[in-house]
Amino acid sequence: MDLLTEAFAWLNDPLNWTGRNGVLALTAEHLRVTVLAVLLAALVALPAGVALGHARRGGTLGVVVANTTRALPTLALLTLFASAGLFGSTATVLACAVFAVPPLLTNTVTGLAGVDRDVLDAARGLGMGGSRRLWLVELPLAVPLVAAGVRTAVVQVLATVPLAALVGGRSLGSVVVSGFATQRYGQVLAGGLLVAALCLLAEGALALAQRAVTPRGVRESTRRATAQRPRRGLTAADPVPAVAAADGPRSNGTAR
């Protein structure tokens, strides 16, 4: 309880919110690094995902290769970049970009490759070429999954950027690292709460953005499909629901 009290006391101190190392300035730097990392990852992952998903070949291999980067700890990448002379925001942007590639690539490939072949055949029957089918049919139908990949990447990077403080960068992680250095663990908890709140706000805002960019027809068709999905009846393989026992002794078929 004392730790929570110290954390809220730290958050309620106006001096901790202003200045170069205040919460507002660190949050702005945190967001700047996040945006740069996601943009860098998107420059690599989205074109590759569109190409693989549209071609419908090589996508599985590309996703597997991209997912192998998940085995690389971001802290290890930061250490490698620091040993190569890259510190601060530069190292953090590069490391977080590597971390953001898998969700962007995977969702883009899955979204495009998952477009119904009957829809593509209908578009081809209307005389649409490959590029027109991609821009007018495949990409609009894949938007929900692509947007979900962007949403996942942004939240993951937001939660990872605090590591920048370990290589001379500035972010909300600076609050945590400074708290550990001075043994002010209420400040450490306050920094963790700030990072968690920022991730939750980003998740909510991006969920609304994902809904906004999803074509209305796709949203309505998904809603209708969900509403019309038949409910499976009880079968012999299902467990028998528990029946409440009646009050009083059970009858065992013998007279008392």
Side-chain angles (χ1 to χ4, degrees):
M1 186 61 67
D2 291 338
L3 193 62
L4 284 174
T5 303
E6 292 176 11
F8 285 115
W10 191 93
L11 291 172
N12 286 326
D13 188 348
L15 295 178
N16 293 326
W17 289 78
T18 57
R20 184 177 184 275
N21 293 319
V23 171
L24 296 179
L26 292 176
T27 300
E29 182 65 15
H30 196 119
L31 292 174
R32 186 184 75 86
V33 172
T34 298
V35 170
L36 290 176
V38 174
L39 286 178
L40 181 59
L43 287 176
V44 176
L46 292 184
V50 169
L52 293 173
H54 178 64
R56 293 178 180 250
R57 61 176 65 130
T60 302
L61 178 61
V63 169
V64 169
V65 171
N67 283 333
T68 57
T69 60
R70 294 179 184 268
L72 296 173
T74 307
L75 183 57
L77 286 177
L78 286 173
T79 304
L80 290 175
F81 291 140
S83 64
L86 297 176
F87 296 93
S89 297
T90 302
T92 307
V93 167
L94 293 175
C96 289
V98 172
F99 188 55
V101 165
L104 292 172
L105 180 63
T106 301
N107 279 44
T108 304
V109 171
T110 304
L112 286 167
V115 176
D116 196 336
R117 289 188 178 274
D118 291 339
V119 175
L120 297 180
D121 290 339
R124 192 178 294 110
L126 293 174
M128 290 186 181
S131 60
R132 289 191 65 196
R133 287 199 307 273
L134 174 63
W135 290 104
L136 298 180
V137 178
E138 294 178 67
L139 282 176
L141 292 176
V143 159
L145 272 179
V146 176
V150 173
R151 175 177 161 190
T152 301
V154 169
V155 175
Q156 287 182 351
V157 171
L158 275 173
T160 308
V161 167
L163 294 175
L166 299 177
V167 291
R170 297 175 65 247
S171 67
L172 288 175
S174 302
V175 177
V176 178
V177 172
S178 176
F180 274 119
T182 57
Q183 295 186 353
R184 296 177 179 175
Y185 299 111
Q187 178 179 336
V188 173
L189 178 58
L193 291 174
L194 288 171
V195 174
L198 185 61
C199 291
L200 290 174
L201 288 174
E203 174 72 17
L206 290 172
L208 295 176
Q210 178 181 345
R211 176 179 173 81
V213 299
T214 301
R216 182 177 179 181
V218 175
R219 292 202 308 265
E220 292 179 350
S221 63
T222 303
R223 189 183 302 114
R224 285 197 299 268
T226 303
Q228 295 175 0
R229 184 178 300 165
R231 295 186 177 181
R232 187 173 62 90
L234 189 66
T235 65
D238 293 321
V240 178
V243 179
D247 292 336
R250 294 181 181 177
S251 172
N252 57 6
T254 61
R256 289 178 179 256

